[in-house]
Amino acid sequence: MKFFRVYKKKALTLIEVVISLAILFIIMIPVSTMTIQTIKMNKQAEDKQQATIIAQKLMEEVKSLTKYTNRMLEDGVNIQEDENSSLDYKITGEIEGFRVEGTIKPSVDYKSKNIDETSKVEVDGTVKIKKEGFNNIIYVDEIFAIGNPSEFYINKKDTGTELIFKNSTSTVNKTIPSTKSVVEIIAEKDTSNQYNIRVSNVTNETLKVYCYKYNNSTVEFNVINEKGKVVYYDNLIKQEPSIEGSTLNRVYDIYIKVAKGDSFYEIKSNKAMGR
């Protein structure tokens, strides 16, 4: 005779169910929190990317204007004169749910004067590019000269500002005292070529570089900040003597901020124009 043993399945007790649910909740809370944070971070990154695109587009639009007045840009953003200053402007508006705010202000570092005055700011030294024969010749304060440099360096140190010019056959250095921390570069009429000007600054003071050229000059300045505190204004336009008396150069500092929620992007640039 065979005997069969019957096994009975034991059901979960209430305590075991409660403990299982508690463990499940303990596991799910950090997982769900991490998932929510990931979604939020992805959204913020997406919003910042979109804010960056909008801000850069707006900056190009503002810089393309030939004169700053009260106006509405193509995307509905307003430029309005600041009620506290007739020279300052505010940028306000909304694009695709992003808040836009900004300012356009004359640079406090740039003093507008007639074009025939070479020192628009107080400078440590002036670099002039002149056309002589078939070549461009660079002068520093009308004394030091080098022909057709292929490389151009400005290095501000505690001992002064070092100017380095290199052409195919030689390298020439000149150090000028640095009391104002300002260097200006002026391209005379009929000059050409593109100059890559590499600038570095190892001091705590800000080095400022102003680059000027005439309308009929095809010189192009490309200022490259390699190190330190540097402010530069490239390709500022000089005017012909017949209109110098009524035309002033002015440099505007432009600031734009585009924001949505906690995500935002800020951009700064400058624009030179006649007034």
Side-chain angles (χ1 to χ4, degrees):
M1 180 179 292
K2 291 184 179 181
F3 295 93
F4 296 94
R5 182 173 295 178
V6 178
Y7 294 92
K8 292 184 178 181
K9 271 191 173 183
K10 293 178 64 180
L12 292 173
T13 65
L14 180 60
I15 295 176
E16 290 173 327
V17 171
V18 171
I19 293 173
S20 298
L21 290 173
I23 294 172
L24 180 62
F25 285 137
I26 290 171
I27 296 172
M28 287 299 294
I29 288 173
V31 171
S32 60
T33 301
M34 186 170 61
T35 302
I36 293 171
Q37 287 178 341
T38 301
I39 294 172
K40 184 178 179 181
M41 289 174 63
N42 289 340
K43 177 61 176 169
Q44 287 178 340
E46 182 182 341
D47 287 344
K48 184 164 185 177
Q49 183 180 17
Q50 185 65 20
T52 303
I53 294 171
I54 293 172
Q56 291 174 342
K57 179 179 179 294
L58 276 174
M59 179 61 73
E60 292 304 315
E61 195 172 354
V62 171
K63 291 183 69 174
S64 69
L65 299 175
T66 57
K67 187 176 182 180
Y68 292 129
T69 57
N70 291 341
R71 69 172 70 204
M72 180 177 288
L73 302 179
E74 293 180 3
D75 40 33
V77 173
N78 287 306
I79 296 180
Q80 291 182 321
E81 187 177 296
D82 193 316
E83 56 190 20
N84 298 318
S85 172
S86 60
L87 296 178
D88 297 351
Y89 293 87
K90 291 182 178 180
I91 302 172
T92 57
E94 184 173 318
I95 302 176
E96 300 175 8
F98 288 84
R99 301 185 313 278
V100 176
E101 58 186 49
T103 55
I104 302 172
K105 297 183 177 182
S107 173
V108 295
D109 295 322
Y110 187 90
K111 302 174 184 177
S112 283
K113 293 184 179 179
N114 289 343
I115 299 304
D116 57 352
E117 299 178 42
T118 56
S119 58
K120 294 168 182 59
V121 291
E122 295 182 355
V123 301
D124 294 322
T126 299
V127 177
K128 286 192 175 182
I129 303 174
K130 296 183 178 180
K131 188 76 170 180
E132 295 187 5
F134 296 101
N135 297 324
N136 288 340
I137 302 294
I138 284 186
Y139 290 85
V140 179
D141 294 332
E142 304 290 349
I143 300 173
F144 160 76
I146 184 172
N148 281 339
S150 57
E151 294 183 282
F152 187 171
Y153 296 83
I154 302 176
N155 303 322
K156 178 171 168 51
K157 303 177 180 179
D158 291 326
T159 54
T161 301
E162 182 184 37
L163 305 176
I164 303 175
F165 306 91
K166 298 181 181 180
N167 59 22
S168 57
T169 59
S170 64
T171 299
V172 183
N173 295 50
K174 179 180 178 65
T175 300
I176 57 177
S178 183
T179 57
K180 306 297 182 183
S181 298
V182 178
V183 175
E184 65 178 358
I185 303 166
I186 302 174
E188 298 292 342
K189 300 175 185 179
D190 302 323
T191 52
S192 57
N193 296 342
Q194 177 174 325
Y195 293 93
N196 292 323
I197 305 170
R198 301 185 180 275
V199 185
S200 67
N201 181 9
V202 297
T203 72
N204 291 325
E205 298 179 16
T206 299
L207 173 63
K208 303 181 182 68
V209 179
Y210 294 86
C211 304
Y212 303 94
K213 67 176 182 179
Y214 279 93
N215 274 325
N216 58 347
S217 170
T218 58
V219 162
E220 290 294 333
F221 296 109
N222 179 27
V223 184
I224 304 162
N225 180 8
E226 295 195 327
K227 183 178 182 181
K229 299 178 181 179
V230 176
V231 175
Y232 60 88
Y233 302 98
D234 52 357
N235 300 297
L236 300 172
I237 299 298
K238 279 192 150 193
Q239 302 294 341
E240 294 298 329
S242 60
I243 57 175
E244 284 176 355
S246 60
T247 304
L248 301 177
N249 258 353
R250 186 179 292 281
V251 176
Y252 288 91
D253 294 327
I254 307 169
Y255 164 77
I256 295 175
K257 178 180 179 180
V258 178
K260 185 177 184 180
D262 296 330
S263 302
F264 67 90
Y265 181 77
E266 297 174 302
I267 185 170
K268 296 179 181 179
S269 188
N270 54 69
K271 160 87 175 182
M273 66 171 64
R275 277 181 62 88

